[in-house]
Every structure is written in C-alpha cells, then in structure tokens.
Amino acid sequence: MLAAAALAALWIPLSGRSIDTPLEVAALAWDKGDYVTALNAYLQILDGPAADAAFETIALQTGELFQTTELTVDGDQPKFSPDGRYVTYETGPVAARLIRLAPASDPKKPSAELTGGRAVFSPDSSKLAYFKLPPNAELQQAQAAVDAAPQAERAQRTAALNALIAAQARVAVRDIASGRETEIDTARMRKTGLAFLASGVVIAASPADGGVAQIYALPDGAAPVALTSGETDKAIGEVNSTGTAITFTARAAGGGRGAGGGGGAGGGTQTFGLLTQPFKTPVTITGSAPAFSPDGTTLLYVGREGDEYRINAADVMEPSKVTVLRKGPERVDAPAASADGKKIAFQMMAKEDWEIFTVNRDGSGETRLTREIQHDLLPRFLGNDRLVGMIGEARHRRSHLYDLAKGTKTRIFHNNTIRTIAPEYAWVPSPDGRKMLITAERDGDTVSLERGIYLVDLESRITRDDLRARLKADIAAETALRAKGRRLYAPIAPAVKKVTEDASVARIYSYEKALFDFDSKHVSRPGNKLASEYLFNKYKSFGYEPEYQWFAGRGALGGQTANVIATLKGTVNPELIYVVSSHYDSVAIGPGADDDTSGTAALLETARILAQSPQPATIVFASFTGEEAGLLGSREYVRRAVADKLNLVGALNNDMVGWANDHRLDNTIRYSNAGIRDIQHAASMQFSNMVLYDALYYKSTDAAAYYEAYGDIVGGIGSYPVLGNPHYHQSHDLLDTINHQLVTEVSKTTAATLMLLASSPSRLKDLKVERSATGSAAVSWTASPETGVIGYMVAYGPPSSPEAQQLRATTTTVTIPKLAAGSIVSVKAVNARGLEGWDWARVTVR
C-alpha cells in the first residue's frame, strides 16, 4: 500500500489550479495503465474518510458494482419465468444437455434437472415445456465426434448432431409445483423451435421425411395442427405477455435468408408474421424488429416507406391499426416499450454508429440517450425509468444500465480482472427489472463452446470487503505479471530498447497513406496488386530479398493474388522460424484503413527496425492477401510451410490495431498461447506506451491457419474482442479514424516480442510423466533444439499453483520423489544467456 507521502507525491497540479484529489490521481494512474499505483491508492482511499463517496467509482473502475452469481461456466438459454419466481438455463454437452430449474431467490439450488433443451414457461408460470432428450447411443456417438473434431470441422459436426436432436427430441410439459410431466406425440417431426401460449404449446417443425418447417399447435391428445403454410421455413419469434399472440419469421427453405429478421432495418423489403388467438390466417407485416409491449396489447416494429424509416405501433388484435411514432431518413431498429407503455426506446444511426433514443408513446419528446463513439444498441426497459443497453460490436458487447430520471449510466457486468476481456452475448432482465441473467465468457475464452451464465442483482451491491479483496488480488496478479516480464527480458533489454526506439510515427503514416491511396485492396480490385507491389518494394528497400507467393484466389482479379514474404535469417538456429503477419487486403467496398492497413503498417515498421538486428532464430514477415475473401493467403502460406516441412515454432498475427476510439493507446492481445500472451504484455509495458488487454481468440482470422496446422503457437494484437470500431467493414473505414501513434506502439511491441521469442528456447516437446505405485514420478522430454541450452527448469504443483515447486536439471530426465495424481508438471529450457523458454511444456499427472 502507498504511504501517505508517496500518494501525495502523485498529485498533479493542473495549470496552476489546486492539486487533484486522491481519487482523481488514482484515476489518472489507471488511465495510463499504471495499475499497481492506482490499486494501492484505491485501497488507501477505502480506508479513509472518503470511502463511502468513492466506493461506487472504485468498484466500477475495477470491475463489478452489483452482486453477481455464477450459475454455470457452460450454459445457454437463460430465462426468467413470467412471474419472476423461477430461472432456467441449460448446461452440459449438446447430446446430454441439462435444463436446470431453480428459484430466482436461490438460483444455486436447482429444484429440478431435466435432460433436454429449449425450455419455455407458460404465461402463468405454472408449467414448463421443453424438448426432452431420451438416452440414445446415436446421440452420444455424434457428441463424441463433435468433441474429437478439429476446430475447422466442429461447426459441421455440431450441425449434424443438432439435426439428430431435432428429430429425436420429444415435447414434454412439466407442472412446476408437482413435478408431473406429460409428453406430446410429434411423430418424429424435426423440431426447431418451441413456445408456450395461453392455449398450449406450439412448435416450429418440419415433417419427419423432410420439407418446409411450419408453425404447429399441439392440442392435448390430438395430432399437431399447422398454423402456417407456404414454401418458406418458419422460425418462432416472440410471444406476448398474455400468451395470445406470437410472431414468426420466414426464410427460403434450405438456404439464404429471406424475409424476416429483427436487426436489418437497413436492408431490402422485410416481413414477419403474426399469429393471434383464436388462431386464424397469419397476418404478414412488412417490417422488421417486432417487439410486444409489456402488457401484450401493442406490437412495435420498424417499417420503411421509400427512403423513410418508421417506428410503428400496431394493435395486436387488429394489426392494421397502426400509429407512426417516429419517422425520418435515419435508420432505426430495436424498439422497446416501458412497463407502462408511455415511452419507447430505440436505436438510431444518427451518423455512422448506432445511438439509443427515447420517444413518448404519442411521438413527442424524442430524446437522445447516448453519445458513445462505439455502437449503442438493443435498448430494453427495466420498468418505466430505467433501461439496459449494449455498447460494441456483436462479438463483444458490454451491458449498461441507464437511469432516465437521474441521467446516469452504469456498467452492469465485468470479470473483476485488469487484463482479461469478458465478452457478453445475451441479456435477460427479470419481469420486475431488478435482476438480469447474462451469458458471457468471463474467462476471456472465445474459442471454446462453453459460455457462462450469471445472475446480476441490480438492487444489491458488493461489500467493501468484496472490493478490498478484489483490489488485493489484482495487485498481486499485476505485480507478478510485471515481475515476470522484467525477469524474462533482463538479458536482452538494452538491445530491445535500442531497436524499438527507432520506430517512427512519420514512417507509419507514410505506409498507411500509400496503402490507403490504393483504395479497396480486395482480391477482386486493382488495388490488391498495387499494394502487393508496394509491399515488395518496401521490404526490398529495408534490405530484404522479398518473394511473392502467387496462387489462384477465389474471385481474384486476373485469377491470381499473392502473399508478400520477407525473411530475416537466424544467426544461430535459422531452421527455427517465428512468423509475424498482417493481411493487406480490405473489403471490396472500402479502403480498410483499420482493417487492415493499420496492421500492415505496423508490420512494415517492425520489419524495418529489425532489418539490421538479426536474431538467433529466423523471423518471417508475411503480408497476407485474401483474408477478407476467406483467409486465402494465410492458408496458402501455411499449406506451403507444411509441405516444405518448415519448423514454425511461434506466430504473431496483427489485425485492426489503429482505430482512434479515444485518447488511450490500448489494444487487445488475441492469443492461443499464454506464454506469448505474457511476453506481449511485458513487451508493451517495457518498450512501448501501449496498454494491452487479452482474450483467448484466434477463430476466423489468419491466426486460425497457424493453429490448425501447428497447434498452440499463436499470439498477436488486434482490437477484437473490443471491436468497437463502427467503421468495421464499411466504406467509411478511413485514414482519419486512425491513431498513428497507436500503430507505432504496436510495431514496438511486436518487435520486442519477436526479439525475445527468437532469442529464447522454444517450447519443449514430448513431455512425459510416469508415476510409480509409491508416488514418485519419472519425468522426461525431448532435448531443446536450440544451440546454447545449458539446462532445464522443472516445476510442479496442483492446478491452483502449478509452479509451486521448482528444480533444475541438466539432462532431459528427472525424478520427482512425491507427486500426487492431478498435479501439473511443467518444463522449459534455459540458455547460456540466461533466457528462459517463452512457454512451459505441461502435462497433467494421471
């Protein structure tokens, strides 16, 4: 903890004014990434007279303010019952999915676990309908195939598993009070959706022998009754609160999206369907984003008349009776009504990003609620004077609570760590607006299929003890991360500093401007070839002997496109290769200043400042083409590398690193390898002014090609999962939205990372542990391929502290006298320069 004198020394006079308060000083330290100083200051404030006044600010700066309960780390489909008394969610593998039903007052104690999915409550909350899965060897085999599939095949095998489930699941209805269940015979129809109306259960399903999916009512003791018809597949939308109406959307059978969908107010003509009780011919409504009012009597939706967008309110039982609440040329979407129906919230694209607005039910009093530079969207009222809205792009949104009366905005969810990002995906408020179920990846793992379910109590705040414990844990984690980084870099820090200090903002801008002036660099545009020639010549001007990797690209102008490759040959172990890449192509509609001219400029500057500083291992600079056309260039590079038996031992991929969101120089590490992640943190802390966060992520980027062929060797920098750039994949992804200093800091961090990787022993292979009956263990591994290795570090311990105990070895075998099953053994090499391996080889003892 900071002493009072040390804390006072941090106060900063501003233009002759009085000094800042301790809370402001701490916030300034946090803003520049000096987290240890900020956290210690926050701890001291919590022990002082200003603790109560500062509590909320400190809690929200460092994590969560509201009490949050983790229900499962592997869940989906969270729901509240209409009366708010119960919650349900799904957990476990798809073929053995469990529905947990629990009281909302004590959600950690389920009252029932049901094998199946897609649970829905009856409007009066007395019953629960769900798709019940019978025990089935075929489903278990399909699940095993999904679990064993490589990442590239997992989606296809999961689709096959879901098709089996759709055919074999039964419709069950459970009385919540008694636990009694009845099953409804659906004759093995392929079921894709389920809803509970006042009159009973309805499903979306297609015949067992194939055909178009329709909406069916399931009367008690009778065969399913089709409520819709036609040649388009139907999907269930929303049910109103009284259970007397349901919306549905339609798309062409077996293919592309047709009419319907709630999020595309800017597209062509869209329609959705409405069914009301007593059931009769469905009503087709031209519009999108349908939503019922809380009392169930009004249907809100977005309409379009020529170039004019409208927010419409229709009578549910007489949908031809429409009131236009708002109209204008601006795109609008996602209307939602307050509990009393007097206000409507919606998102509107005022310029180039979505903002949230409200308007009175009579169309008066339009008010702008947000002014965030990122997208603000998906508003939903929690009562009459509060609403929840999301900030960001679909792959990483963050929920916020807006109090309309107080004019305040409060972040709802976090994971209480400094560095790791926690993407959110789904938000379900309780009927009274006091609680919220959130689906999120609190551990930052965006690759695995598992997502957590969290219950946030918006009426209950964390305690001071909770907050103090959080701050202490974060101080320990941040201190350890910084200490590790200093230790790893110590033998080469002066050399790294000399190289990174040569990075130039002016040069970065010159690369960006040249590439930007080629306009679109999509493989189908002339700018693609112009950019490849520019890159080739630029690498050559740095002293490299670059090469083109020409190949036939899908849709490429002239039939071919090319990666541009430059190689800095290693001085000691040239056969060991570290590759760093960015894609230079853009989407067809725009120049792609951030995506990915920014990454390409950082790559060029990294190559320039390293050109006269070859490292022990080889470094390859790869400018990939065709990322926007399906990762064409990266897959071609990796295909050739595998065919040529190149020994790629580490890879960095930078993509979208320059958007000027605010004054901060920050980005996100996208990694598969935790060792590379920690080195990139260390590189940014010691050799740049950039602050880095992290998330386990490599899907759908050029990094995926490395992972699929070479395994867990990936790191890199990108804006995702904080992909807040509203210009992403748009024609207005322009150079004036780029922070050129930020791109320069990326080049410094990348060069520093490469220098440590290429100078350190790579990860060891073939680590084996053989445990004897007495508990001793023989540990062995293949010798490090690097020249100059003088020994090995061996660590072991429980999963909670895997490096608790350590020893040194000079050979590739060691015996550990006592080693419990479940322990983790880790080994890395150390070379004569004192550099440790950049990642542990690990194995869990069986």
Side-chain angles (χ1 to χ4, degrees):
M1 184 180 298
L2 288 179
L7 180 60
L10 291 172
W11 294 359
I12 304 169
L14 295 178
S15 303
R17 295 192 299 107
S18 59
I19 56 179
D20 292 332
T21 67
L23 185 62
E24 290 170 330
V25 171
L28 288 169
W30 184 280
D31 186 75
K32 68 180 184 180
D34 187 358
Y35 295 118
V36 174
T37 296
L39 290 163
N40 276 306
Y42 286 146
L43 273 174
Q44 186 158 327
I45 292 168
L46 287 176
D47 287 335
D52 290 342
F55 181 85
E56 180 174 324
T57 297
I58 296 173
L60 288 170
Q61 182 74 279
T62 60
E64 290 167 345
L65 174 64
F66 303 113
Q67 289 282 358
T68 300
T69 303
E70 183 176 86
L71 303 185
T72 180
V73 296
D74 178 15
D76 197 9
Q77 301 289 325
K79 291 183 177 67
F80 282 99
S81 61
D83 62 7
R85 292 174 56 200
Y86 304 102
V87 297
T88 63
Y89 59 91
E90 298 177 14
T91 187
V94 177
R97 204 70 164 162
L98 288 178
I99 301 167
R100 287 184 179 150
L101 172 66
S105 58
D106 195 2
K108 295 287 282 185
K109 294 182 179 179
S111 55
E113 286 192 344
L114 314 171
T115 303
R118 298 291 185 91
V120 291
F121 288 98
S122 61
D124 64 2
S125 301
S126 66
K127 295 181 175 64
L128 189 75
Y130 67 101
F131 289 148
K132 187 173 185 177
L133 287 178
N136 188 300
E138 186 179 13
L139 293 180
Q140 293 172 357
Q141 290 172 0
Q143 180 69 61
V146 170
D147 296 340
Q151 191 69 38
E153 300 175 15
R154 184 159 292 189
Q156 182 179 359
R157 296 197 180 186
T158 299
L161 172 58
N162 286 332
L164 283 175
I165 291 172
Q168 297 186 14
R170 304 164 185 166
V171 177
V173 179
R174 181 183 184 87
D175 182 89
I176 293 176
S178 68
R180 290 192 299 269
E181 286 192 1
T182 58
E183 292 187 11
I184 301 173
D185 184 12
T186 57
R188 291 181 65 84
M189 299 174 77
R190 298 181 180 274
K191 296 162 286 294
T192 56
L194 179 67
F196 215 138
L197 275 65
S199 60
V201 176
V202 299
I203 60 172
S206 57
D209 57 356
V212 173
Q214 304 292 354
I215 310 294
Y216 293 85
L218 301 182
D220 290 340
V225 176
L227 303 178
T228 62
S229 60
E231 298 303 316
T232 53
D233 285 327
K234 311 302 187 300
I236 289 173
E238 288 194 41
V239 177
N240 70 346
S241 58
T242 58
T244 56
I246 183 173
T247 63
F248 64 90
T249 55
R251 64 178 180 180
R257 191 170 182 81
T269 302
Q270 296 179 302
T271 63
F272 64 92
L274 175 68
L275 281 162
T276 57
Q277 293 183 327
F279 293 125
K280 49 190 175 182
T281 302
V283 176
T284 298
I285 297 174
T286 300
S288 63
F292 291 109
S293 61
D295 66 4
T297 63
T298 302
L299 177 66
L300 302 170
Y301 65 95
V302 174
R304 188 170 179 179
E305 186 98 5
D307 292 332
E308 185 178 80
Y309 295 90
R310 299 182 175 189
I311 296 177
N312 295 328
D315 186 290
V316 167
M317 293 304 166
E318 296 186 66
S320 60
K321 292 183 177 180
V322 177
T323 302
V324 179
L325 306 184
R326 200 268 178 199
K327 60 183 177 180
E330 302 89 354
R331 288 176 60 191
V332 292
D333 208 346
S338 60
D340 59 11
K342 293 181 179 180
K343 281 189 178 294
I344 309 298
F346 60 96
Q347 66 188 59
M348 181 166 71
M349 189 164 284
K351 188 179 178 184
E352 293 171 343
D353 69 300
W354 293 106
E355 303 290 355
I356 295 175
F357 290 73
T358 62
V359 67
N360 293 329
R361 180 61 176 81
D362 62 4
S364 67
E366 182 175 307
T367 303
R368 181 170 178 167
L369 185 62
T370 65
R371 294 185 181 275
E372 172 63 47
I373 195 171
Q374 301 180 43
H375 289 309
D376 289 89
L377 63 179
L378 302 179
R380 181 164 180 179
F381 273 96
L382 307 179
N384 296 323
D385 297 315
R386 299 193 306 172
L387 61 82
V388 61
M390 316 309 159
I391 295 178
E393 190 262 353
R395 287 169 289 184
H396 176 53
R397 288 176 176 155
R398 288 86 69 203
S399 53
H400 290 75
L401 181 67
Y402 297 88
D403 190 309
L404 303 184
K406 297 178 181 178
T408 59
K409 166 187 166 186
T410 307
R411 192 191 59 238
I412 294 175
F413 183 80
H414 202 272
N415 63 0
N416 302 323
T417 70
I418 296 173
R419 300 285 178 178
T420 299
I421 303 298
E424 302 170 40
Y425 299 105
W427 308 266
V428 181
S430 62
D432 62 8
R434 295 179 178 179
K435 296 180 179 180
M436 180 168 291
L437 288 163
I438 294 179
T439 303
E441 285 160 342
R442 207 174 193 184
D443 60 359
D445 182 354
T446 72
V447 174
S448 69
L449 299 178
E450 293 79 20
R451 292 176 176 175
I453 304 292
Y454 303 89
L455 180 65
V456 182
D457 188 340
L458 300 176
E459 303 294 318
S460 178
R461 299 187 173 196
I462 61 170
T463 67
R464 191 179 300 187
D465 286 344
D466 292 334
L467 183 53
R468 287 180 58 83
R470 176 199 302 171
L471 301 184
K472 289 180 179 180
D474 283 348
I475 289 170
E478 184 72 5
T479 301
L481 181 65
R482 290 175 179 270
K484 176 182 178 181
R486 287 192 296 269
R487 186 186 77 245
L488 291 175
Y489 268 103
I492 63 169
V496 176
K497 188 171 186 284
K498 182 179 179 181
V499 168
T500 55
E501 284 180 341
D502 191 33
S504 163
V505 178
R507 290 178 184 272
I508 286 285
Y509 181 77
S510 71
Y511 309 146
E512 293 172 334
K513 184 63 167 65
L515 291 162
F516 181 79
D517 284 348
F518 297 135
D519 199 48
S520 172
K521 291 164 285 295
H522 191 265
V523 295
S524 63
R525 299 293 191 266
N528 183 262
K529 187 172 186 295
L530 294 173
S532 69
E533 292 171 348
Y534 171 80
L535 293 167
F536 185 95
N537 292 331
K538 205 41 111 167
Y539 282 127
K540 195 170 185 64
S541 74
F542 300 155
Y544 296 97
E545 293 297 331
E547 62 175 306
Y548 289 112
Q549 285 187 341
W550 290 102
F551 62 95
R554 255 193 334 267
L557 190 66
Q560 285 194 317
T561 186
N563 295 325
V564 184
I565 309 298
T567 301
L568 184 65
K569 190 173 182 179
T571 58
V572 179
N573 291 107
E575 74 283 0
L576 301 178
I577 299 171
Y578 291 89
V579 59
V580 54
S581 57
S582 291
H583 73 89
Y584 69 84
D585 64 308
S586 68
V587 293
I589 63 170
D594 192 27
D595 188 14
D596 187 29
T597 288
S598 64
T600 302
L603 180 63
L604 284 173
E605 187 65 351
T606 302
R608 186 189 70 82
I609 62 179
L610 281 171
Q612 303 307 313
S613 300
Q615 301 298 303
T618 293
I619 298 173
V620 171
F621 304 93
S623 293
F624 289 147
T625 186
E627 192 267 2
E628 303 292 4
L631 312 182
L632 302 182
S634 57
R635 296 202 186 281
E636 176 64 15
Y637 174 81
V638 170
R639 183 192 69 78
R640 295 190 189 196
V642 171
D644 294 340
K645 296 183 170 53
L646 299 185
N647 190 1
L648 267 61
V649 290
L652 304 178
N653 185 70
N654 296 338
D655 193 348
M656 294 187 68
V657 299
W659 180 49
N661 175 42
D662 52 28
H663 68 286
R664 301 190 77 219
L665 300 175
D666 55 2
N667 263 312
T668 304
I669 301 168
R670 309 188 300 185
Y671 73 96
S672 74
N673 185 281
I676 294 177
R677 173 200 65 195
D678 290 351
I679 288 171
Q680 294 208 269
H681 278 305
S684 70
M685 292 172 189
Q686 296 177 65
F687 307 105
S688 86
N689 292 318
M690 183 166 57
V691 179
L692 284 177
Y693 305 97
D694 60 62
L696 181 63
Y697 178 79
Y698 53 83
K699 299 180 299 183
S700 304
T701 73
D702 285 326
Y706 300 130
Y707 188 90
E708 290 162 8
Y710 289 94
D712 178 20
I713 64 166
V714 178
I717 299 172
S719 59
Y720 181 83
V722 191
L723 185 53
N725 190 341
H727 314 293
Y728 171 61
H729 280 188
Q730 302 299 315
S731 60
H732 41 79
D733 182 5
L734 304 176
L735 204 56
D736 55 6
T737 69
I738 301 302
N739 184 326
H740 313 294
Q741 184 67 56
L742 178 57
V743 180
T744 308
E745 302 306 314
V746 171
S747 70
K748 293 179 186 179
T749 299
T750 301
T753 302
L754 289 168
M755 291 179 75
L756 184 57
L757 291 176
S759 300
S760 306
S762 57
R763 187 171 54 191
L764 298 168
K765 296 181 179 180
D766 304 319
L767 176 60
K768 298 176 183 177
V769 178
E770 294 183 6
R771 187 167 172 269
S772 70
T774 62
S776 66
V779 183
S780 63
W781 56 91
T782 297
S784 172
E786 278 85 5
T787 300
V789 167
I790 61 171
Y792 300 92
M793 299 170 60
V794 180
Y796 55 98
S800 60
S801 184
E803 299 163 30
Q805 301 184 67
Q806 296 191 13
L807 55 88
R808 294 286 182 129
T810 56
T811 65
T812 59
T813 60
V814 69
T815 299
I816 301 175
K818 281 282 188 181
L819 194 64
S823 298
I824 295 175
V825 176
S826 309
V827 184
K828 64 167 64 170
V830 180
N831 67 21
R833 301 172 69 186
L835 289 161
E836 304 172 16
W838 48 262
D839 191 29
W840 295 97
R842 292 182 179 85
V843 67
T844 301
V845 179
R846 303 300 177 192

